[in-house]
Amino acid sequence: MRVNSWTPSEEDEESDMASQASYEALEPATLGARLRDVPGLAERVGGAPETWQVREVGDGNLNLVFIIEGPAGQVVVKQALPYVRLVGDSWPLPLYRAFYEFHALDRQARRDPGAVPEIFHFDEAQALIVMEYLSPHRILRHKLIAGERVEGLAARIGAFCARTAFRGSELSMASAEKKADVALFAGNVEIPAITEDLVFTDPYYAAEKNHHTPGLDAVVARLREHVALKARVQRMLMRFASNTETLLHGDLHSGSIMATADAVRVIDPEFAQYGPMGFDIGMLTANYLMSYFSQPGHRGADLDSYQEWLLEVIEGTFAAFETEFARLWDTERTGMLYPRCLFEAQGHGSAPARAALLREVWQDALTVCGIEMHRRVLSLAHNADFESIADPALRAPLEARNLMMGRELILGAETIPDAVALCAMARRYNGACVT
Amino acid sequence: MRVNSWTPSEEDEESDMASQASYEALEPATLGARLRDVPGLAERVGGAPETWQVREVGDGNLNLVFIIEGPAGQVVVKQALPYVRLVGDSWPLPLYRAFYEFHALDRQARRDPGAVPEIFHFDEAQALIVMEYLSPHRILRHKLIAGERVEGLAARIGAFCARTAFRGSELSMASAEKKADVALFAGNVEIPAITEDLVFTDPYYAAEKNHHTPGLDAVVARLREHVALKARVQRMLMRFASNTETLLHGDLHSGSIMATADAVRVIDPEFAQYGPMGFDIGMLTANYLMSYFSQPGHRGADLDSYQEWLLEVIEGTFAAFETEFARLWDTERTGMLYPRCLFEAQGHGSAPARAALLREVWQDALTVCGIEMHRRVLSLAHNADFESIADPALRAPLEARNLMMGRELILGAETIPDAVALCAMARRYNGACVT
């Protein structure tokens, strides 16, 4: 039979039992012994496996993360956990997400060389990836809370978003190859379902897992009573769940970026799925804006200049995205979409077609941005930018600015011309009292 | 392994060889002997298989179609051919499309009982479906050329479009089930590729398989030089190829509908694929409009009244679509999209959300409609409405009206408020000289 006969309802249980039967969560004491036969690993770490130094790191919401160190070097070992630790093991989560993370990393590495950690080994049964240890990189979110700047951040991530969006779509890929990949990733149901619920739906009603800062009730009520707002959010959910334009990172926020003072990598694509081209850059922008709005809780005299730097990062990221997208459009448009026979070969350029497409990508990005600004303050997984502001009386008005700007982005996505206007809007809310 | 490891590039060849090895095109003389063991068939047809009367019918572009008749009744046997007969066997086409046609018929029968022929048997290796014989039904296109009316046509097909669109989407389906089905249909690459090329791209450049009526050169040039027009068509192609809102019929025109004076069935979903909700009704509307514009080549004194009846069918189809979609929205909205917890459970209705969604479906439908009006006159597969007008000097100006209205639909989809305005536009072009 030529067609894909795999159905998750049948095979999920079987193979879950199979992999869970052999699956064993890693422990520091036995890590060396369990990984000693991984091809090339002994050479890379050096010394005898029983002498390897093993440290557990990472916040461990969804995964175990270890660093193995030996005389020759260090590697990272990441293993998926069969549940979400944030809420205890009452929320099971399939181990197969490591499979999708591995495939996403593989595609990202090919589409934007140097953007993601190098992969040394993947063990599907153990849901385990051995990869490059990044040092002295730190999680970008922590650096932004600490007020640190990263040289070249905007250019690097803007290019990453453009390259993965363009090269993962039928602007570039052969349709048969791309459709086979869509079928592969369509096997991932539970992970997108988390985004679908937590991001697009929970913020807009009194969902069980929600919580928000006291003092926000009036603003939250304003969001939840707005039928047109919820209609736009659900329309975006429909586009997120029923759109296979390109392979997304799927969770691109400042916690999925590691950086030094001038080097940047993207990590953790375990939420990779096919979706709209504007999704990744929209979610990322929301996280920059939340950093922006939270800064009065973290900065002193350098508040203004650091906030302005964050807006420069936003403008720069979109500029880099558009520049790189345009370059790829002109040099790598080999897929079936917008073929040259319709444009260049007829003696006129395709720039208006590209501009019209990017205009829609921009509007999707703004809508996703607004939704992400809501869910990180109202739904289950809040972010440290706001959460690390201990005083709710200081935190609430900052979160309120963020919520109300999110609302304006969702309702007015098609009226905001560009990233300059977006940043001007952020400055306006930054001075506002909206509680 | 839980995930779908199927890749078309590897398995296509293998299983093609496998099925082509056992595949044998049907012949009338041996049909009875080959089908004698099909469960239940002997009872349904009656008598001894060697006495069955076998007639070959159908235009046979892509398939062989036979009618088997015996003392107890008749059945239809449809078998896919491994090539497109329209252009000889130089254009191979995978036999597996019978597999997708079977699955599409199965889903359509469940989503809109009575809309499609009953299926009695499916043989995957022979790419063969045995199904209900429809009598005295005739192909709707032939009836429209002959000036015949069909009572209830608009209501029946409008409801079919609404039911298949709604019940095949995550407005209704559980996400896991829908995503598994998306993965299944993602195995179909070659069939969508035909639509992608012939419908969305070929009309807008001098593609090898194109032909058009002499006298249209100036109009064709106006279409092909219009960059914004081609940009909108390619954006729609991107939406068609990268959108899994619902399972489409994929080729819903007046040749895919069989009717009596007052009964209607939908046939031939071998181009079924996931795509935007507005696709089927948009393509169908184009075919009604092409019937409308072609009528001066077919009618006499009854021209005006018959053309007005066709516009009533268009208005009625959209009215029935919206009414049925609204009914299902209120009674069967059980999927993850637009959940009741966000609307009804918060004390306000969801009608504005439904209206906003239907507005986008409408605009997609108009865009698809305009594109279909172009491709049927400029690309490979013309339709009989125009082709059966023997005199090119009569045909060309009628086709020109159709082409120019298609252009306005594509460029102005968001400015046309409703089906009444659409039909008013058709009347305007119908009196116009646009060559």
Side-chain angles (χ1 to χ4, degrees):
Chain A
M1 190 167 87
R2 305 175 56 116
V3 298
N4 161 25
S5 64
W6 173 83
T7 59
S9 52
E10 286 164 23
E11 285 206 16
D12 273 2
E13 280 179 49
E14 256 182 65
S15 52
D16 237 14
M17 285 187 289
S19 45
Q20 301 241 358
S22 61
Y23 173 85
E24 217 178 312
L26 293 169
E27 290 174 32
T30 54
L31 204 56
R34 285 184 60 184
L35 298 180
R36 63 182 310 144
D37 296 330
V38 169
L41 189 61
E43 293 71 28
R44 202 173 293 277
V45 177
E50 51 271 22
T51 68
W52 290 348
Q53 298 294 310
V54 176
R55 281 180 292 147
E56 186 171 357
V57 295
D59 64 355
N61 275 337
L62 308 168
N63 305 288
L64 298 172
V65 184
F66 302 92
I67 296 167
I68 304 182
E69 184 173 0
Q74 305 179 68
V75 299
V76 168
V77 180
K78 178 174 178 180
Q79 184 183 39
L81 285 166
Y83 50 81
V84 183
R85 206 148 68 170
L86 184 64
V87 292
D89 55 5
S90 63
W91 191 355
L93 206 61
L95 293 172
Y96 70 65
R97 67 191 190 277
F99 173 90
Y100 290 111
E101 178 169 8
F102 165 70
H103 278 286
L105 284 165
D106 168 65
R107 281 149 186 74
Q108 289 165 352
R110 282 187 278 123
R111 287 168 192 162
D112 189 5
V116 299
E118 190 183 349
I119 301 304
F120 303 134
H121 180 64
F122 171 55
D123 181 333
E124 190 179 345
Q126 298 302 324
L128 179 158
I129 300 172
V130 183
M131 68 185 105
E132 183 183 1
Y133 173 62
L134 301 176
S135 177
H137 298 65
R138 287 172 53 227
I139 292 289
L140 178 63
R141 196 186 300 283
H142 303 156
K143 293 173 82 75
L144 301 185
I145 292 171
E148 298 171 22
R149 288 170 166 78
V150 177
E151 180 77 28
L153 173 62
R156 187 66 196 85
I157 302 295
F160 172 80
C161 289
R163 287 169 190 160
T164 52
F166 190 95
R167 290 175 172 155
S169 78
E170 286 171 280
L171 289 167
S172 159
M173 287 176 81
S175 293
E177 192 193 343
K178 193 252 184 180
K179 279 174 174 137
D181 212 47
V182 169
L184 182 84
F185 276 87
N188 189 1
V189 173
E190 285 88 347
I191 306 293
I194 295 176
T195 308
E196 287 155 5
D197 289 347
L198 289 191
V199 176
F200 291 94
T201 301
D202 287 1
Y204 305 101
Y205 81 109
E208 202 186 335
K209 300 192 190 77
N210 286 355
H211 65 103
H212 63 252
T213 305
L216 290 179
D217 289 356
V219 174
V220 172
R222 282 188 66 184
L223 300 182
R224 292 190 183 155
E225 75 195 9
H226 203 306
V227 180
L229 178 82
K230 292 182 288 187
R232 279 177 171 247
V233 172
Q234 289 295 304
R235 185 68 185 104
M236 194 67 227
L237 169 57
M238 191 166 173
R239 285 179 56 63
F240 176 71
S242 310
N243 178 304
T244 60
E245 278 174 10
T246 196
L247 183 64
L248 307 177
H249 180 284
D251 197 30
L252 188 64
H253 51 68
S254 52
S256 302
I257 294 173
M258 295 191 75
T260 67
D262 60 1
V264 183
R265 300 283 192 105
V266 176
I267 62 169
D268 283 355
E270 64 201 68
F271 283 68
Q273 68 165 84
Y274 274 86
M277 287 186 171
F279 185 84
D280 283 341
I281 197 169
M283 177 178 273
L284 179 64
T285 301
N287 280 269
Y288 288 147
L289 286 170
M290 288 185 277
S291 173
Y292 174 83
F293 285 119
S294 71
Q295 289 299 333
H298 303 300
R299 297 277 79 68
D302 61 338
L303 175 62
D304 289 353
S305 72
Y306 194 68
Q307 282 191 307
E308 281 304 307
W309 178 77
L310 285 167
L311 297 185
E312 279 169 32
V313 170
I314 291 173
E315 285 189 32
T317 303
F318 279 106
F321 177 84
E322 286 181 27
T323 302
E324 180 65 4
F325 197 96
R327 189 184 71 79
L328 297 172
W329 179 278
D330 288 338
T331 57
E332 297 187 13
R333 212 166 80 248
T334 53
M336 74 160 178
L337 297 175
Y338 301 88
R340 289 176 185 279
C341 62
L342 294 191
F343 299 98
E344 289 80 357
Q346 291 188 36
H348 47 246
S350 57
R354 186 186 70 225
L357 174 59
L358 282 177
R359 180 88 204 135
E360 290 189 56
V361 172
W362 163 251
Q363 290 171 11
D364 279 356
L366 291 181
T367 306
V368 169
C369 179
I371 296 167
E372 172 78 359
M373 290 164 83
H374 289 167
R375 74 101 169 190
R376 285 288 191 175
V377 168
L378 303 179
S379 181
L380 176 67
H382 290 213
N383 60 27
D385 308 77
F386 287 123
E387 289 299 291
S388 60
I389 301 173
D391 181 1
L394 173 55
R395 188 167 72 238
L398 303 180
E399 290 182 323
R401 292 170 179 172
N402 171 69
L403 290 174
M404 291 304 286
M405 176 163 170
R407 176 178 178 276
E408 186 168 346
L409 290 179
I410 297 165
L411 290 171
E414 63 278 15
T415 67
I416 302 163
D418 54 28
V420 173
L422 175 70
C423 291
M425 186 191 292
R427 285 187 199 96
R428 181 159 53 78
Y429 277 96
N430 188 48
C433 174
V434 291
T435 39
Chain B
M1 189 166 90
R2 305 177 55 119
V3 298
N4 162 26
S5 64
W6 175 81
T7 58
S9 53
E10 287 165 18
E11 285 206 15
D12 273 3
E13 280 179 51
E14 256 182 64
S15 52
D16 239 14
M17 284 188 291
S19 46
Q20 301 241 357
S22 61
Y23 173 85
E24 218 178 311
L26 294 169
E27 290 175 32
T30 54
L31 203 55
R34 283 184 61 185
L35 298 181
R36 63 182 309 144
D37 295 329
V38 169
L41 189 61
E43 293 71 29
R44 202 174 291 276
V45 177
E50 50 272 19
T51 68
W52 292 348
Q53 298 294 309
V54 176
R55 283 180 291 147
E56 186 171 356
V57 295
D59 64 356
N61 275 337
L62 308 168
N63 306 286
L64 297 172
V65 184
F66 301 93
I67 295 167
I68 304 183
E69 185 172 359
Q74 304 179 66
V75 300
V76 168
V77 179
K78 178 175 179 181
Q79 185 182 39
L81 286 166
Y83 50 81
V84 183
R85 205 148 69 169
L86 185 65
V87 292
D89 54 7
S90 61
W91 191 355
L93 206 60
L95 293 172
Y96 70 65
R97 67 190 189 276
F99 173 90
Y100 290 110
E101 178 169 10
F102 165 70
H103 278 286
L105 284 165
D106 169 65
R107 283 149 184 73
Q108 289 166 351
R110 281 186 281 122
R111 288 169 192 162
D112 189 5
V116 300
E118 190 183 348
I119 301 304
F120 303 133
H121 179 65
F122 171 56
D123 182 333
E124 190 178 346
Q126 298 302 326
L128 177 158
I129 300 173
V130 183
M131 68 185 105
E132 183 183 2
Y133 173 62
L134 301 176
S135 176
H137 297 65
R138 287 172 54 227
I139 292 289
L140 178 63
R141 196 186 301 282
H142 302 155
K143 294 173 80 75
L144 301 185
I145 292 171
E148 298 171 22
R149 288 170 166 79
V150 177
E151 180 77 27
L153 173 63
R156 188 66 197 87
I157 301 295
F160 172 79
C161 290
R163 289 170 189 160
T164 52
F166 191 95
R167 291 174 171 155
S169 78
E170 285 171 281
L171 289 167
S172 159
M173 286 176 82
S175 294
E177 191 193 343
K178 193 253 185 178
K179 279 173 174 140
D181 212 49
V182 169
L184 181 85
F185 277 87
N188 188 0
V189 173
E190 285 88 346
I191 306 292
I194 295 175
T195 308
E196 288 156 3
D197 289 347
L198 289 192
V199 176
F200 291 94
T201 300
D202 286 2
Y204 305 102
Y205 80 109
E208 201 186 337
K209 299 191 191 79
N210 286 356
H211 65 104
H212 63 252
T213 304
L216 289 179
D217 288 355
V219 175
V220 173
R222 283 188 66 183
L223 300 182
R224 291 190 183 154
E225 75 195 7
H226 203 305
V227 180
L229 178 83
K230 291 183 286 186
R232 279 178 170 246
V233 172
Q234 288 296 303
R235 184 68 185 107
M236 194 67 227
L237 168 57
M238 191 166 173
R239 286 178 56 62
F240 176 71
S242 309
N243 178 304
T244 61
E245 279 176 8
T246 197
L247 183 64
L248 308 176
H249 179 284
D251 196 30
L252 188 64
H253 51 69
S254 50
S256 301
I257 294 173
M258 294 191 76
T260 66
D262 59 1
V264 183
R265 299 283 193 104
V266 177
I267 62 169
D268 284 354
E270 63 201 71
F271 283 69
Q273 68 166 83
Y274 276 86
M277 287 186 170
F279 186 84
D280 282 342
I281 196 169
M283 177 178 272
L284 178 64
T285 301
N287 281 267
Y288 288 147
L289 286 169
M290 288 186 277
S291 173
Y292 174 84
F293 286 118
S294 71
Q295 290 298 333
H298 304 300
R299 297 275 80 68
D302 61 338
L303 174 62
D304 289 352
S305 71
Y306 194 69
Q307 281 191 309
E308 281 304 306
W309 178 77
L310 285 166
L311 297 185
E312 279 168 32
V313 170
I314 291 173
E315 286 190 31
T317 303
F318 278 107
F321 177 83
E322 287 180 27
T323 302
E324 180 66 3
F325 196 95
R327 189 184 72 79
L328 297 172
W329 179 278
D330 289 337
T331 56
E332 296 187 13
R333 212 166 79 247
T334 54
M336 74 160 180
L337 297 175
Y338 301 88
R340 289 177 184 278
C341 62
L342 293 190
F343 298 98
E344 289 80 356
Q346 291 187 37
H348 47 245
S350 58
R354 185 187 70 225
L357 174 59
L358 282 177
R359 180 88 205 136
E360 289 188 56
V361 172
W362 164 251
Q363 288 170 13
D364 279 356
L366 291 181
T367 306
V368 168
C369 179
I371 296 166
E372 172 78 359
M373 289 164 84
H374 288 168
R375 75 101 170 188
R376 286 286 190 175
V377 169
L378 302 179
S379 181
L380 175 67
H382 291 213
N383 60 26
D385 308 76
F386 286 123
E387 290 298 293
S388 59
I389 300 171
D391 180 4
L394 173 56
R395 189 168 71 238
L398 304 179
E399 289 181 325
R401 293 170 179 174
N402 170 69
L403 290 174
M404 292 305 285
M405 176 164 170
R407 176 178 179 276
E408 185 169 345
L409 289 179
I410 296 165
L411 291 172
E414 63 279 13
T415 66
I416 301 164
D418 53 28
V420 173
L422 176 70
C423 291
M425 185 191 290
R427 285 186 198 97
R428 182 159 52 81
Y429 277 98
N430 188 47
C433 174
V434 293
T435 40

